[in-house]
Amino acid sequence: MQQRLLILSVCLIQFFCPFMGNSLNIAVPALSLEYATAPENITWVINVYMIATASFLLPATALANFFGYRNLYFSGCLLASAATFAVPLSPTFSVLLCARVMQGICLSLVFCSSMALLVDKIDKEKRATAIGLVVGAVYAGLSLSPLIAGVIADSLGWRSIFFVTVIGLFAAGVLVKKISKDEPNTHHFNLPKMSLCFLGIALILLSFSIASSHITALILVICGFTFLSIYLFFENKSKHPVFPIKLVMGNRTLTLALGASAFNYMSNFSISLLLALHMQFILGFSASHTGVFLVIQPAIMMVLSSCAGKIAKYMNAHISESVGMALIFTALTLLHFLHPESSLYYMVICQIIAGIGFGLFSAPNTTIVMSSVKREQLALASALQAITRTVGMACCMAILTTILNSYIDAPHDTKLYIRELSDALSFSFMISACIAIIGFAFCFAGLISHQKVK
């Protein structure tokens, strides 16, 4: 019974977080109007959340090892509920961004402990199925969010998206309250060291997002790498490292799987947002109609991920993630040629290919990562995958923000604006396709390494 409650709790988290995030893609026009800012600036609402989450995941891992997986997961759910409730109450765009930062920090507590708790508490023979269900919940959130968010944004307003998410996060916390506590892995927590880690990653990712401001970006990236280098220096000498550098770098399977995950999300995270911009600002679709159309890709991802246990019986995890990455590259290449006169059928085909690709990639990749470490490293593996995934998303949004700011100069609602936006989207898809090639190289290297071990 406890295992079922845990799976349900984690599924709720994995459903509502992408539901909330993907819903913002549909709500771009509403947010732009609400806060009187250009549509391309709304990417910062997603960007700051990704930066905060990625930056705090390693400190959150240290907290998980100190307090225990279950305790941190429970606390994270409640804190994230409060932070999420504050987001729609933001009176200005600046306050909204600050609320999203707090939300990202709170949810990082959940992300670093959820998969670790799942793998620790679920029987080994049921683990692949549980992971498949959890990943399927992610894509269920992605699948339903465009449709539900479109209707909500058009009828109740964008704020309702966050109020619905609060209910889901709070329910997840209530369910896990009945799960038995686990013993902490350590009694050491180094606050100064974790602060250096947080600042280093945050400044580096922020510098990527303002690359067009050359001097400021350069100062931030230098400071970021300085803080991160100092952190890694002390971490390497520590008797109780949160990030055991030599151990992780010596685990080839883990390193290649994490690299594949990072470049996978870096290449395709922006697909839904780019298609939403194309449909709403270039084709003139409403939020609800755009939401209905964007259901296709995540729906396919949800079905395939839910069948991960069955797929694993017929296809090796390394082969599955390699095939998935190749299909994602194909979809991004096709989307590069998207233009205002392209038919909806063309976008449907691209979404189907991308959906199949991501569905074949995600659950096997998670299985590879979590199966490559010992029990005491589960939180670390979970956090590292969340870090690579979130850093990939953050870099993707940083690249997209830079491209949009570089390409678009024309006033909103002009023909020149539409032309510049279309060119920016096309170039973004081309860059994403190039990144997908790197992701495939990591997948293929992991496959070759696995074959040699066998």
Side-chain angles (χ1 to χ4, degrees), residues 96-323:
L96 174 67
L97 295 181
C98 292
R100 286 285 283 169
V101 169
M102 293 306 303
Q103 188 186 35
I105 290 174
C106 293
L107 282 173
S108 68
L109 303 176
V110 178
F111 294 152
C112 79
S113 55
S114 59
M115 198 60 69
L117 187 62
L118 193 72
V119 174
D120 188 37
K121 297 290 185 180
I122 302 298
D123 297 334
K124 190 173 182 179
E125 61 273 11
K126 300 178 181 178
R127 201 171 293 164
T129 301
I131 290 176
L133 289 173
V134 168
V135 175
V138 174
Y139 301 135
L142 292 172
S143 301
L144 297 176
S145 59
L147 177 60
I148 298 175
V151 174
I152 290 177
D154 283 344
S155 56
L156 301 177
W158 65 270
R159 287 179 171 81
S160 300
I161 295 170
F162 289 93
F163 292 140
V164 170
T165 303
V166 169
I167 297 173
L169 297 178
F170 186 79
V174 172
L175 287 172
V176 83
K177 180 69 174 177
K178 298 182 179 180
I179 306 299
S180 59
K181 296 181 180 180
D182 55 281
E183 290 297 322
N185 293 324
T186 181
H187 297 289
H188 301 275
F189 181 79
N190 193 316
L191 181 59
K193 192 169 65 176
M194 289 299 101
S195 300
L196 285 171
C197 175
F198 173 75
L199 288 173
I201 297 175
L203 291 176
I204 291 171
L205 291 177
L206 184 60
S207 70
F208 292 164
S209 300
I210 58 171
S212 55
S213 303
H214 304 297
I215 297 178
T216 304
L218 181 61
I219 294 173
L220 289 179
V221 77
I222 290 174
C223 292
F225 275 111
T226 300
F227 288 139
L228 197 58
S229 298
I230 296 172
Y231 160 73
L232 292 174
F233 174 80
F234 285 109
E235 189 76 311
N236 194 39
K237 292 182 173 296
S238 174
K239 294 181 180 179
H240 308 282
V242 177
F243 179 56
I245 303 170
K246 294 179 181 178
L247 186 62
V248 172
M249 296 306 294
N251 190 333
R252 183 175 174 81
T253 300
L254 176 64
T255 303
L256 291 174
L258 291 175
S261 178
F263 285 103
N264 175 277
Y265 282 91
M266 196 186 303
S267 66
N268 68 65
F269 177 67
S270 63
I271 289 179
S272 293
L273 177 58
L274 294 175
L275 289 179
L277 291 173
H278 177 83
M279 294 191 68
Q280 293 184 85
F281 290 99
I282 295 178
L283 302 184
F285 279 67
S286 66
S288 54
H289 286 137
T290 301
V292 171
F293 183 82
L294 294 180
V295 162
I296 299 169
Q297 177 185 334
I300 295 172
M301 292 153 57
M302 175 188 67
V303 173
L304 286 177
S305 296
S306 299
C307 300
K310 295 181 179 179
I311 294 175
K313 296 179 181 179
Y314 303 100
M315 187 183 296
N316 177 275
H318 292 275
I319 295 176
S320 180
E321 70 166 1
S322 298
V323 173

Side-chain angles (χ1 to χ4, degrees), residues 242-262 318 321 365-374 377-386 388 442-443 445-446 449-450 453:
V242 177
F243 179 56
I245 303 170
K246 294 179 181 178
L247 186 62
V248 172
M249 296 306 294
N251 190 333
R252 183 175 174 81
T253 300
L254 176 64
T255 303
L256 291 174
L258 291 175
S261 178
H318 292 275
E321 70 166 1
N365 180 263
T366 300
T367 301
I368 293 170
V369 169
M370 301 305 294
S371 301
S372 65
V373 298
K374 299 177 182 178
Q377 296 174 321
L378 288 175
L380 175 65
S382 180
L384 286 176
Q385 187 172 43
T388 55
F442 274 89
C443 294
S449 179
H450 176 73
V453 172

